[in-house]
Amino acid sequence: MNRRDFIKVSSTIGAVTAIEANTLQSLTENTLYDEQEMLTSNRFGAFYVKKIGGEIVSVRPFEGDKFPSPLINAFADNLKNDNRVEYPMVRKSYLKAQGPSNPQLRGKEEFVRVSWDVALDLVAKQMKKTFNQYGPESIYGDCYWWGGSGKVGYGQTVARRMMKILGGFVEESGDYSTGAGMVIMPHVVGDLAVYDTPTKWKAIIKYAKNVVFWGTDPVNTNQISYEIPLHHSYKDMELLKQAIQEGKIKAYSVDVKQNDTQRFMNSIFMSIIPNTDTAMMIGMAHYLYENKLYDEDFIKRYTVGFAKFKNYLIGKDDGIVKNIHWAENICGINANSIAKFADILAKEPSIILVGRALQRQDHGEQSFWMITVLSAMLGHIGKQGCGLEFSLGYDASGSVDKKAPILQGISSVKIDPQYTTKYPDAPWTKYENIVIPSSRWVEAIANPGKEIDYNGTKIKLPHIRLMYNASGSLFTRHHNVNNLLKQLQKVETVITADPYWTSTCKMSDIVLPVATELERIDIDQSCWTREYFFGRKIVSDPVGESQSDFWICKEICKRWGHEDVFTEGKDELEWVKYIYADAVDQAKVLNVQMPSFEEFWEKGYVQFNEDDTETDYYTRWESFRQEPYQNRLGTPSGKIEIYSPIIEKFGYDDCKGHPMWFNPIEWLGKKEVVKKYPIHIVSSHSKYRLHSQLNNSYIRTFAEVSGREPLLLHPDNAKERGLKTGDIVRIFNGRGEVLAGVLITPTVRKDVGIISEGAWYDPSKPGEVSLCQHGNINVLTMDKGTSKLAQSNIAHTTLVQVEKYKGEILPIQAFNKPKIIQSL
Amino acid sequence: MQKKIFLLLTGLLGTSLHLTADVGFAKSNTDLLLNGEKVGVLRVLSPVEVISEEGNLLKIKVSGYQLANYPMAIVRDTQRNEEYAFLNKDKTSSLRSLKKEEDEYGESWDKVEGVYTVASQAISKDNKSLYTQAKDVYESTCGGCHGVPQAKDYTVNQWPNQIKTMNAKVTLDSDTKWLVTKYLQQNAKNAKSKDLK
């Protein structure tokens, strides 16, 4: 029996401890003459791995990838680097006590290598015990989005499925990316808007004369996707650039820095003070109103509540006229430029592409609401290729659609009814999940039982006692890390399943090694276009004893006596076949040919060639514009709600009946804070990772300065501080301090610093409030909800001071393993 | 007085027309007939009053609200846009107006009812099995990509567009999409509240 077959059999029969440590085939079996190329895929693309002697030495993009991302090169490096979790681990005190013990030692104490049986028994026992004693509110199981992927073994899905079988858990509504948008937009346009099928690039290029990128950078963010990105939108963006170069379209970028999209499109750059976009939009709205440039007919036919908003614009109640000069004083953009901008957008067919950044700030609901109101006044909403769009920031969103079936995945919530009949008293029949607003879980840990406002209701925060994390990175995702450190000590048990020794793993009690997409079986689809299905075979043996999330969750359920409920009698390959068979049934209805499963699996992919021409020029709200009564929006009025009586009745002081300007809790206009912390930090996406993923590969060196995350700083601010590019600086405020490497550039607005989110957390004293050596921005951000409406995060509302670092420069430890011992 | 009790009483009183009167639910999107001619569609899960049985057909009454600017759709009420039936453009006069109302946005509505025939097998006495079926499709179809919002997370009006816009990411045929949408609408945030104000 060869090693591959052994692993397969071990997995099939559920052997837990029999799997030997990874044997490095290159040393014991293969020679350099053994060369092989295999197809694989993940959230960065589809690509071939070249193996020599059994080890992956390089990658080559899949031929169907329209614009391969350089990020795929990371996998020849980080798949087997020192950062992998190789074996199940339990923190020493926790193992000794066989349960919760000394949480204050997390981050400081050694981990003990244990067998899968020991780790899984402990996990299953503690989860069951906690649930039985305290119910769903005690188990935090949100398991954040981006770790792993696939229709069978995606960590988030299978972990939630496992916790559903347990009886339920605490989950978050919405997400960190666009939590405020997801709550405000259903009030304004009647649906989420932020994840809707977007307007096609093709329609934009054909019909729009002005394209505004407002706080968005698709050239950067479209590299990745929640399924497999094949980057079609990069071809669309090239066509847009061509139209700009030919003078057919003008592009604008409203942002705090000249981002990649601005540079690629050569957009007219409007440099705005962070967090003041709403004020600029209000100034534009006032200009349109005063100069009768707004589309009165659109307002009348397709919106409600303009009269109340108009009174706000002209200052009827507060005496403040929100004109372009008022806006200039807040947003820092010259009044004449604001006027000219509004004028052009009103007179020519235009579209505004909106980025998530606008709502990841204090009162983030207002900017999304206001940009909708502004667009309604401009009157282009629903005209082909024009209006407003929130969803063009992912991979191939807005590109061509193919006539193809859609792969269904294993469900995170559905329990097959046969098991409810078989286990009539099962916990999943008795409880429902506890849902809290996105990013409020640390507040829950700090104040269990506290009531908070949320979207017209009161939410009682749950008492979280145990966390199960399937990937996800708490210390780079969540804000005010030092508070998180403190609050996490109140959680009795932290379990993390992850391929890598992240800061979350290091702060856990039990760590379960997870196999990546390259090391397990799955199936997935190319995102948005539906052009390809990809089969995922094992292209590299799992590192150490790592196992798929599917296997781990199955084993936990087995210990609860519910393995059959989790698997429904199918192993991973059988699930792949089952999902493929469902797609074959769909294809028959669509009259689309598909190969047999065996042919598909052998080849590694199936392509769907035929374009769905019906959606070529799809434009958001076009049908609403054409037939507003037939296609009523989901708002109470059926129209765009410039004024929402529902929100007004909530009576919130921080989100009222129509969009308005609120001073953010921190911003450059808050003089008393600026004296101490004069730089506004904005934490945009890095183009060299996916949030924190791939920071543990050589890719990070593409954009590090002096071994730290770069801080982009304006030359004037650097000069004031005597800084030069390459200096290591201390960035700090009342919440914490981090080190970063300075990169001086005029592409950033003065008094603004850019430090991308996701740099791995590297405390100089692990487990304690201390200096982050590596530049994790969330040590400095604030953990506060946007408003009582959405309670989402305000990552971009952060003031800091920057100074040259004079202390001892320690080596970066973020990517090292913690201390590990072989036995107690 | 609750409608069902009213109907029951009417039945007990022996009015021959209402002997079989009861509430039923459309099992699928079903043709609405008038004098044997198709005049529209009754949407799946829509409640109807069953008036009488005529061979393989049932005589039913559909009640709801009709928007003056879009009279083809009969919806639950002026604030809850749950479509009960959709009439052909030239057949909207088959509805009887009971009273006129204006909503807070100035739109004119008619409270209406219409009597039609449908195939007997198209009407179910209860909606439980349809709810189970809808929930199953919703959870298995939508739970593969993300956590599944509960029906009560959105309003009656918000659900149709939520499903419509997500439909590009899943494949549901038209009838199944209606089933899921109506299930979610009938269990939505404001589905049961009596006073929407």
Side-chain angles (χ1 to χ4, degrees):
Chain A
M1 183 188 285
N2 69 26
R3 180 180 156 68
R4 173 71 44 76
D5 290 340
F6 173 70
I7 288 177
K8 205 181 346 178
V9 172
S10 307
S11 177
T12 310
I13 62 172
V16 181
T17 53
I19 301 165
E20 295 295 323
N22 184 280
T23 54
L24 291 177
Q25 287 174 297
S26 57
L27 295 182
T28 56
E29 295 175 27
N30 300 328
T31 72
L32 294 177
Y33 283 99
D34 289 305
E35 196 173 317
Q36 194 183 9
E37 198 171 56
M38 294 180 81
L39 180 62
T40 190
S41 58
N42 56 22
R43 283 182 155 163
F44 304 89
F47 51 93
Y48 297 92
V49 294
K50 184 176 180 182
K51 297 171 75 174
I52 294 181
E55 299 303 324
I56 296 173
V57 295
S58 62
V59 303
R60 175 172 70 85
F62 175 64
E63 52 272 22
D65 193 334
K66 297 285 188 283
F67 194 81
S69 165
L71 298 177
I72 58 173
N73 294 297
F75 297 98
D77 171 30
N78 80 343
L79 190 70
K80 286 197 169 180
N81 71 12
D82 292 345
N83 188 236
R84 285 296 296 264
V85 181
E86 296 168 294
Y87 308 104
M89 300 279 171
V90 182
R91 188 170 58 81
K92 194 172 158 187
S93 295
Y94 198 97
L95 186 63
K96 261 188 189 169
Q98 288 289 295
S101 176
N102 293 328
Q104 77 284 0
L105 295 181
R106 287 191 196 120
K108 301 174 185 171
E109 198 174 28
E110 303 96 320
F111 280 94
V112 186
R113 178 183 166 181
V114 297
S115 69
W116 269 111
D117 269 338
V118 168
L120 290 165
D121 287 350
L122 204 49
V123 167
K125 182 193 85 175
Q126 195 60 31
M127 289 185 83
K128 195 74 179 168
K129 186 179 163 190
T130 308
F131 183 88
N132 286 348
Q133 203 166 347
Y134 303 109
E137 73 157 339
S138 62
I139 311 285
Y140 177 75
D142 196 60
C143 300
Y144 210 65
W145 288 95
W146 287 105
S149 61
K151 298 300 178 194
V152 177
Y154 170 31
Q156 184 192 58
T157 302
V158 291
R160 286 181 175 200
R161 183 177 172 88
M162 173 266 287
M163 285 181 275
K164 168 82 179 174
I165 292 167
L166 176 66
F169 57 95
V170 177
E171 64 172 313
E172 296 178 32
S173 61
D175 55 44
Y176 279 60
S177 300
T178 185
M182 290 171 84
V183 177
I184 186 66
M185 294 316 290
H187 289 289
V188 180
V189 297
D191 61 51
L192 285 179
V194 293
Y195 286 117
D196 293 2
T197 305
T199 298
K200 295 291 183 198
W201 286 104
K202 201 170 177 180
I204 294 171
I205 294 164
K206 185 168 180 183
Y207 295 105
K209 294 283 174 231
N210 300 293
V211 177
V212 180
F213 295 90
W214 201 315
T216 184
D217 187 10
V219 168
N220 175 349
T221 60
N222 287 18
Q223 290 184 94
I224 55 92
S225 195
Y226 55 85
E227 289 169 320
I228 301 163
L230 292 179
H231 307 109
H232 291 66
S233 66
Y234 283 85
K235 294 294 155 195
D236 294 310
M237 288 192 282
E238 284 172 11
L239 293 173
L240 175 59
K241 179 176 178 158
Q242 194 183 325
I244 293 164
Q245 284 174 329
E246 289 167 0
K248 293 175 185 164
I249 290 176
K250 269 199 179 132
Y252 298 82
S253 173
V254 186
D255 212 310
V256 300
K257 68 163 182 174
Q258 291 170 266
N259 61 34
D260 286 40
T261 308
Q262 187 278 328
R263 296 199 302 276
F264 178 66
M265 301 291 177
N266 198 20
S267 313
I268 296 162
F269 178 50
M270 307 184 78
S271 167
I272 191 165
I273 292 173
N275 289 205
T276 66
D277 307 85
T278 302
M280 178 174 168
M281 295 168 202
I282 292 170
M284 289 169 74
H286 182 273
Y287 177 82
L288 295 172
Y289 175 72
E290 278 293 293
N291 294 283
K292 300 194 182 346
L293 284 167
Y294 75 104
D295 189 332
E296 226 176 321
D297 184 54
F298 187 92
I299 294 293
K300 204 184 227 174
R301 293 186 67 193
Y302 302 103
T303 74
V304 294
F306 183 71
K308 284 181 190 286
F309 176 70
K310 178 202 74 184
N311 289 340
Y312 171 74
L313 282 183
I314 60 176
K316 192 178 174 198
D317 296 327
D318 61 6
I320 300 167
V321 181
K322 282 85 180 174
N323 59 22
I324 50 176
H325 302 288
W326 169 87
E328 177 183 344
N329 282 333
I330 296 170
C331 75
I333 294 178
N334 175 278
N336 289 335
S337 300
I338 297 174
K340 196 176 157 195
F341 189 43
D343 204 64
I344 288 167
L345 298 188
K347 288 175 180 167
E348 296 177 346
S350 303
I351 186 164
I352 303 177
L353 310 181
V354 188
R356 314 282 202 233
L358 296 190
Q359 49 84 69
R360 296 183 76 223
Q361 46 187 264
D362 200 18
H363 305 291
E365 297 89 349
Q366 304 304 314
S367 54
F368 268 35
W369 196 352
M370 187 56 221
I371 210 157
T372 312
V373 172
L374 174 63
S375 298
M377 291 178 75
L378 293 168
H380 305 306
I381 291 176
K383 284 184 196 165
Q384 278 198 306
C386 296
L388 180 66
E389 185 48 66
F390 295 91
S391 291
L392 284 175
Y394 270 124
D395 173 36
S397 54
S399 295
V400 65
D401 295 327
K402 299 289 182 182
K403 279 189 183 163
I406 295 173
L407 285 178
Q408 304 295 301
I410 192 169
S411 177
S412 59
V413 289
K414 187 194 152 196
I415 304 288
D416 193 296
Q418 64 168 307
Y419 299 106
T420 303
T421 310
K422 186 175 174 184
Y423 305 107
D425 291 326
W428 61 82
T429 63
K430 297 178 188 165
Y431 303 96
E432 281 191 344
N433 280 358
I434 309 289
V435 184
I436 59 173
S438 155
S439 83
R440 289 302 92 210
W441 58 277
V442 177
E443 191 172 351
I445 294 169
N447 304 292
K450 179 185 167 186
E451 274 203 340
I452 61 166
D453 287 296
Y454 172 66
N455 200 15
T457 60
K458 296 273 185 192
I459 301 239
K460 188 181 165 196
L461 294 175
H463 191 155
I464 294 167
R465 297 165 193 269
L466 181 147
M467 302 177 79
Y468 186 95
N469 306 302
S471 305
S473 175
L474 308 178
F475 288 86
T476 50
R477 167 168 45 111
H478 198 73
H479 313 98
N480 196 348
V481 162
N482 287 331
N483 180 51
L484 166 57
L485 264 180
K486 189 175 136 196
Q487 302 307 335
L488 201 63
Q489 291 197 7
K490 296 178 189 164
V491 179
E492 294 163 10
T493 300
V494 181
I495 304 160
T496 301
D498 202 295
Y500 299 102
W501 275 109
T502 62
S503 46
T504 306
C505 286
K506 291 174 186 173
M507 290 297 292
S508 298
D509 300 306
I510 302 173
V511 179
L512 307 174
V514 170
T516 67
E517 289 103 320
L518 278 65
E519 300 164 314
R520 60 178 177 83
I521 286 168
D522 212 323
I523 186 170
D524 213 341
Q525 185 159 21
S526 59
C527 202
W528 290 103
T529 63
R530 310 176 204 153
E531 188 176 359
Y532 290 91
F533 290 170
F534 290 95
R536 281 193 191 137
K537 298 173 193 168
I538 296 171
V539 301
S540 182
D541 291 339
V543 162
E545 291 178 358
S546 54
Q547 290 280 5
S548 66
D549 284 295
F550 180 97
W551 183 90
I552 292 167
C553 293
K554 177 201 75 169
E555 288 295 322
I556 296 169
C557 288
K558 184 173 151 185
R559 283 159 173 78
W560 298 331
H562 289 142
E563 179 184 356
D564 53 347
V565 187
F566 181 84
T567 64
E568 295 179 20
K570 294 187 272 291
D571 66 16
E572 286 159 88
L573 183 59
E574 284 164 336
W575 269 106
V576 169
K577 289 180 182 173
Y578 175 80
I579 289 165
Y580 189 83
D582 174 75
V584 170
D585 289 343
Q586 294 176 44
K588 282 178 193 154
V589 178
L590 295 168
N591 202 21
V592 169
Q593 296 298 311
M594 278 178 69
S596 69
F597 177 79
E598 288 70 25
E599 289 170 283
F600 157 70
W601 196 247
E602 174 64 28
K603 191 177 181 187
Y605 66 89
V606 54
Q607 184 181 10
F608 302 96
N609 283 310
E610 195 184 342
D611 288 359
D612 184 350
T613 48
E614 278 181 32
T615 60
D616 260 3
Y617 291 93
Y618 173 78
T619 297
R620 188 97 70 114
W621 296 301
E622 188 180 3
S623 59
F624 169 62
R625 187 176 185 116
Q626 287 168 349
E627 298 287 350
Y629 289 104
Q630 182 180 337
N631 301 301
R632 285 160 65 86
L633 302 183
T635 54
S637 62
K639 297 180 178 180
I640 295 168
E641 301 226 340
I642 292 174
Y643 170 79
S644 166
I646 301 270
I647 294 179
E648 179 74 50
K649 280 174 203 158
F650 292 163
Y652 297 152
D653 56 356
D654 52 5
C655 186
K656 299 189 176 187
H658 58 73
M660 58 178 69
W661 165 251
F662 291 90
N663 286 321
I665 189 163
E666 284 184 9
W667 69 299
L668 291 172
K670 196 165 184 175
K671 301 297 176 202
E672 67 276 17
V673 183
V674 168
K675 273 183 208 163
K676 210 170 168 188
Y677 304 120
I679 302 289
H680 192 127
I681 285 280
V682 172
S683 44
S684 53
H685 293 303
S686 167
K687 67 177 161 193
Y688 294 121
R689 54 180 180 258
L690 194 182
H691 297 307
S692 60
Q693 286 184 64
L694 309 191
N695 199 217
N696 58 343
S697 78
Y698 84 103
I699 300 276
R700 76 170 175 276
T701 62
F702 294 0
E704 281 198 334
V705 174
S706 299
R708 269 81 189 158
E709 187 63 20
L711 167 72
L712 276 60
L713 203 61
H714 190 273
D716 291 353
N717 296 123
K719 198 175 169 189
E720 290 160 5
R721 291 163 176 77
L723 297 172
K724 56 185 185 303
T725 291
D727 282 348
I728 293 176
V729 289
R730 185 173 80 102
I731 313 172
F732 61 99
N733 60 19
R735 295 178 284 274
E737 54 181 353
V738 307
L739 298 186
V742 168
L743 177 64
I744 299 167
T745 168
T747 59
V748 179
R749 191 184 167 87
K750 187 173 177 291
D751 300 332
V752 174
I754 305 290
I755 185 163
S756 292
E757 50 85 32
W760 280 30
Y761 175 53
D762 192 15
S764 50
K765 292 177 189 165
E768 289 179 32
V769 172
S770 57
L771 175 72
C772 172
Q773 297 285 330
H774 189 239
N776 172 18
I777 187 59
N778 278 331
V779 172
L780 304 171
T781 52
M782 195 184 309
D783 184 8
K784 170 192 172 298
T786 46
S787 81
K788 296 183 179 75
L789 190 86
Q791 295 282 9
S792 192
N793 73 84
I794 61 164
H796 295 313
T797 302
T798 304
L799 290 177
V800 299
Q801 179 56 291
V802 176
E803 65 178 20
K804 191 163 180 173
Y805 181 59
K806 291 171 186 158
E808 186 188 1
I809 296 169
L810 301 174
I812 298 297
Q813 301 286 337
F815 309 106
N816 294 351
K817 285 185 170 73
K819 278 183 205 160
I820 293 169
I821 53 176
Q822 299 284 334
S823 57
L824 273 178
Chain B
M1 188 189 291
Q2 285 182 355
K3 190 195 284 178
K4 200 162 181 179
I5 299 172
F6 168 75
L7 291 169
L8 189 65
L9 286 176
T10 338
L12 289 173
L13 286 169
T15 311
S16 60
L17 189 66
H18 294 114
L19 269 176
T20 55
D22 208 342
V23 176
F25 300 91
K27 282 159 61 176
S28 60
N29 288 336
T30 303
D31 289 351
L32 281 174
L33 307 173
L34 199 60
N35 304 321
E37 182 196 357
K38 183 186 169 184
V39 295
V41 179
L42 179 67
R43 296 295 179 204
V44 63
L45 273 170
S46 297
V48 296
E49 292 173 33
V50 179
I51 298 168
S52 63
E53 198 167 346
E54 297 169 3
N56 291 332
L57 299 173
L58 290 179
K59 185 180 265 189
I60 58 155
K61 187 192 280 182
V62 183
S63 306
Y65 281 77
Q66 182 188 40
L67 180 62
N69 277 311
Y70 189 56
M72 288 84 84
I74 300 145
V75 301
R76 180 172 170 183
D77 57 38
T78 62
Q79 294 175 66
R80 287 178 287 204
N81 190 25
E82 182 198 338
E83 193 171 297
Y84 283 171
F86 189 84
L87 295 176
N88 298 347
K89 205 168 185 177
D90 58 345
K91 300 296 179 187
T92 56
S93 56
S94 61
L95 291 164
R96 189 162 72 94
S97 175
L98 303 174
K99 69 170 177 175
K100 292 198 177 295
E101 283 182 29
E102 189 177 291
D103 68 19
E104 59 183 319
Y105 305 100
E107 295 288 351
S108 300
W109 296 81
D110 283 85
K111 182 172 165 55
V112 292
E113 62 179 26
V115 175
Y116 306 94
T117 51
V118 294
S120 297
Q121 72 269 19
I123 302 299
S124 167
K125 280 198 168 181
D126 71 67
N127 53 12
K128 278 182 192 159
S129 64
L130 285 166
Y131 275 8
T132 305
Q133 195 188 332
K135 189 167 184 278
D136 183 66
V137 174
Y138 175 62
E139 291 185 347
S140 54
T141 308
C142 306
C145 287
H146 48 73
V148 175
Q150 295 176 7
K152 65 184 180 192
D153 289 345
Y154 294 102
T155 65
V156 173
N157 290 7
Q158 286 164 353
W159 270 118
N161 282 352
Q162 297 280 63
I163 295 299
K164 197 172 162 187
T165 191
M166 282 289 156
N167 205 43
K169 301 184 181 84
V170 294
T171 40
L172 294 179
D173 60 55
S174 174
D175 282 351
T176 311
K177 196 169 77 178
W178 270 106
L179 174 70
V180 172
T181 304
K182 293 275 296 202
Y183 157 73
L184 292 167
Q185 285 189 294
Q186 292 185 2
N187 292 279
K189 188 188 276 182
N190 59 343
K192 291 176 180 64
S193 63
K194 295 219 163 53
D195 181 10
L196 288 167
K197 307 279 179 190

